[in-house]
Amino acid sequence: MKSLATLSTGEVFPGAKSYKKLEAKLSQLQYLNRHKTKFSNNWKKAQLKIAQLHNRIANIRRDTLHKRAYLLG
């Protein structure tokens, strides 16, 4: 997503770059989990960390949208 919103006046509101900032960490976690035995305890712990990071990315996007909603409405 390049921008959160663009008004008819041409004013552009930048979006959160949460994925770009955390992409390297996500990649590292997924890389480390790649060779673990599926459904082992260590695999489950690694999957939980990956899920938490995805949740953090989603929360950053949601927070940005919530904070900027008053500008758009």
Side-chain angles (χ1 to χ4, degrees):
M1 192 163 59
K2 286 188 176 184
S3 63
L4 178 66
T6 304
L7 301 181
S8 60
T9 60
E11 188 177 359
V12 177
F13 293 99
K17 302 290 188 240
S18 56
Y19 180 72
K20 288 225 185 240
K21 287 180 183 176
L22 298 172
E23 186 176 15
K25 186 169 186 170
L26 181 63
S27 177
Q28 180 190 19
L29 288 174
Q30 289 172 335
Y31 174 81
L32 292 174
N33 200 29
R34 185 167 51 176
H35 296 295
K36 288 183 172 42
T37 304
K38 264 195 171 179
F39 306 108
S40 66
N41 284 332
N42 284 331
W43 179 85
K44 288 177 186 176
K45 285 189 281 187
Q47 285 296 105
L48 181 63
K49 282 187 177 184
I50 292 168
Q52 287 172 335
L53 187 58
H54 276 295
N55 193 31
R56 183 173 175 209
I57 291 168
N59 284 342
I60 291 169
R61 287 181 177 166
R62 199 174 299 121
D63 183 54
T64 302
L65 185 60
H66 177 74
K67 287 179 178 176
R68 308 253 190 227
Y70 73 93
L71 296 172
L72 305 175

